[in-house]
Amino acid sequence: MTQRIDWPFKLALLACLAVGVSIVAWLLGHGAALFIAAALWALWFYECLLVASALQPLSVQRTLPMRTMASSDICVRLDIQRQGWLPIMWLRPHDDWEGALALHSQRTPVRSLMLWRRSAVWSYTLLNVPRGVHRVSEVSIEMADAFGFVSVRRRLPLAAEIIVHPKALDLPGCLPMPRHVMAGSRGSGFRRAEWGAVGGIDPYREGDPLARVHWPASLRQGTLYTKSFDPPADRTWLFVPYWTSGGAMEDDASFELVMTLTATALREAGRIGAHVSLALPNRVVMTLGRYDSGLSGADPAVALLDALARCTRQDEAVDLQALLSHVPGESAAILLLGTAIASRQAAWLGSFAGRLHLAMASAAQGNSDVQDAVAWLAERGAQVCWIHEPRDLTLLAKGDVHGHRA
C-alpha cells in the first residue's frame, strides 16, 4: 500500500499559522484575535484526527463479473472496511482501469462512510463495455476534509480483469450447411446414421439418448457409458476470422464486425451441434468439437470466445498458406470472415472454393483488388456475401452468392 504524503507539510503550515495568531492575540489581548487563534487550533486538531483516521488499516474487496458480452453494462462493487476505531468521513474511491475503461473510472462520485459504521459499499456502472480484456491494476482511496485543505491518498494493489466477448447474435440458420448435407437435418439434431465412427466411450450424462449407450462397456464397469463419435467430414467447420494488420481498407468498425460474425457463427454451431475449429493469428488452431449447449456444466465455447476477446487489430493476420496446407482435401467446410482479401490469398483458397463460404465486410467492397479476388473465388464455386451488418450473415445460408443490402 502506498500513500501520498503532502499532508505533513499542510499540518505543519496550519500549526505555524495557529502559533503565530496565538502569539499576536496574547500580545494584543484582543478577544477577537483569541477567538481566531482558538478556531485555528480547533481546525488543526480536526485535521490531525482526519489524518489519523485516514491512516488506519483498510480492507477493500472488489466484486465484478469475470466475463460479459460486448455493449453490456457491468456493475463494479467495492466493499471498504476500516480496521480502526476512528470514523472516516470523506471518502473518494477510484479504480485505476487501463485502456478504454480509464475514462469510465474517472466518473466516480464522492461518498462518505457513516460516522457510526465501520464499512461502506461503493458501486458504479460501466456503460457499453467494448470487446477486449480490460484490466484494473489498483484502487486508490482519497480521504479529504470538508474544506479540501488536507487529503490523504492511499493505493491498494487490487488487480483484476474482465474478459468481454464479442457480441453473439441469435441468428438461427445463419450457418450455411455444406451443399451435400440435407437441410432437413438442421434444428432437430443429427440422425444416428449421420455420426462418424465410434471413437471412444464417455460416462453417461443425464439427457444422453439410450441409443448411444455402450452396453458392453456399461455391463463390464457396472455403470452406464455412452459412445463418443469421431466427427464425420460433412459435420465439421473451420472458422477463419481474417484481417490484415494496419490494412488501408480496414477500420475498427470492420474489425469488430468480423469479431461479431465469428461469435455469432460459433453460437449457431453450438445450437446445431457442429464440430468447430477456430484459426486465430499467433495461436494454434483451437478445436471446439461437437457440443450441446443444453448440457449442464461449463460451456465449452468459452475458451474460443476468450480467444476472440483477446484479438486486436495489431495482431498479425492468419497465415492462410500454412493453415490450408494442413487442411485435408475432403474435410471441414471453411467459413472465412474477413475485412479484406488480396489475389495472393485468393489463390491459396482456390482449391478449397467448393467448400468455402466467404463473408466480407462491406467496407472493402469499393476496393478493386478485393473485388477481383472475391469474384475469382465466386467463379470457382465459393459462396460469397458482403456483410453490411451482422444479420447479413444469413444470406450465406440462403445461397445468395451476390448477397448485399440495398
Side-chain angles (χ1 to χ4, degrees):
M1 178 185 297
T2 60
Q3 62 190 37
R4 192 177 63 190
I5 52 174
D6 58 350
W7 52 267
F9 170 76
K10 293 183 177 180
L11 285 181
L13 179 63
L14 184 60
C16 291
L17 182 62
V19 169
V21 173
S22 299
I23 292 175
V24 172
W26 178 72
L27 292 176
L28 297 179
H30 198 280
L34 291 174
F35 176 80
I36 294 174
L40 288 175
W41 282 115
L43 177 61
W44 178 83
F45 181 73
Y46 162 76
E47 301 289 3
C48 289
L49 283 179
L50 181 139
V51 170
S53 65
L55 296 180
Q56 295 176 117
L58 293 177
S59 173
V60 180
Q61 291 184 343
R62 185 192 294 111
T63 305
L64 73 169
M66 292 182 60
R67 291 178 177 86
T68 187
M69 185 179 293
S71 302
S72 300
D73 299 339
I74 63 172
C75 181
V76 184
R77 171 189 172 111
L78 287 175
D79 294 298
I80 305 172
Q81 183 174 8
R82 57 182 173 86
Q83 306 295 328
W85 59 273
L86 289 173
I88 302 177
M89 291 180 290
W90 297 98
L91 190 72
R92 185 195 297 269
H94 176 78
D95 266 334
D96 293 327
W97 288 93
E98 301 174 359
L101 297 186
L103 181 61
H104 290 278
S105 65
Q106 297 175 5
R107 302 170 182 172
T108 55
V110 175
R111 295 289 301 273
S112 60
L113 288 173
M114 297 301 178
L115 297 178
W116 57 86
R117 297 180 59 185
R118 298 180 62 88
S119 63
V121 175
W122 176 73
S123 61
Y124 62 97
T125 301
L126 301 173
L127 304 176
N128 298 320
V129 180
R131 181 199 60 84
V133 179
H134 305 287
R135 297 178 176 86
V136 55
S137 57
E138 61 184 10
V139 57
S140 62
I141 300 178
E142 184 174 4
M143 289 147 283
D145 60 15
F147 313 103
F149 180 69
V150 172
S151 63
V152 177
R153 176 174 296 176
R154 305 177 69 174
R155 299 182 182 274
L156 290 82
L158 197 63
E161 71 175 19
I162 299 178
I163 302 177
V164 182
H165 295 162
K167 189 173 184 179
L169 302 182
D170 186 13
L171 298 179
C174 72
L175 188 63
M177 295 296 286
R179 299 189 184 105
H180 54 281
V181 178
M182 295 179 59
S185 64
R186 175 186 294 274
S188 59
F190 298 130
R191 302 171 184 172
R192 184 177 181 184
E194 293 172 341
W195 290 96
V198 177
I201 58 174
D202 296 318
Y204 178 83
R205 293 178 294 186
E206 184 178 356
D208 286 347
L210 291 179
R212 290 181 56 193
V213 173
H214 195 290
W215 294 109
S218 300
L219 293 174
R220 286 196 304 268
Q221 301 295 332
T223 184
L224 290 178
Y225 281 86
T226 57
K227 306 170 188 176
S228 62
F229 297 88
D230 293 331
D234 59 0
R235 297 299 183 199
T236 59
W237 279 94
L238 174 61
F239 292 167
V240 186
Y242 186 78
W243 66 93
T244 56
S245 179
M249 294 300 298
E250 186 177 296
D251 53 21
D252 289 337
S254 297
F255 178 76
E256 293 302 328
L257 176 61
V258 168
M259 296 292 104
T260 299
L261 293 175
T262 307
T264 301
L266 283 173
R267 180 171 184 171
E268 175 64 3
R271 190 184 73 85
I272 66 175
H275 292 262
V276 175
S277 295
L278 178 64
L280 293 176
N282 301 325
R283 298 175 179 89
V284 297
V285 175
M286 303 179 65
T287 301
L288 174 62
R290 183 183 186 276
Y291 71 94
D292 185 345
S293 57
L295 295 177
S296 60
D299 188 341
V302 169
L304 300 189
L305 293 174
D306 285 355
L308 287 177
R310 299 179 187 277
C311 290
T312 66
R313 281 186 59 192
Q314 288 68 39
D315 292 336
E316 295 182 2
V318 173
D319 189 343
L320 286 179
Q321 187 177 20
L323 174 67
L324 297 175
S325 65
H326 293 87
V327 176
E330 298 296 332
S331 63
I334 301 173
L335 176 61
L336 190 144
L337 312 112
T339 58
I341 191 170
S343 299
R344 183 175 60 176
Q345 287 81 32
W348 296 334
L349 293 165
S351 59
F352 299 87
R355 53 192 172 95
L356 174 65
H357 303 267
L358 190 63
M360 298 298 300
S362 60
Q365 199 167 4
N367 186 294
S368 59
D369 294 336
V370 176
Q371 285 273 24
D372 293 342
V374 170
W376 186 84
L377 287 171
E379 291 174 357
R380 281 151 181 79
Q383 295 292 313
V384 178
C385 180
W386 293 99
I387 306 294
H388 294 254
E389 61 180 62
R391 294 187 181 275
D392 291 339
L393 190 62
T394 56
L395 296 174
L396 278 178
K398 297 175 182 178
D400 189 353
V401 177
H402 304 289
H404 67 279
R405 293 179 62 87

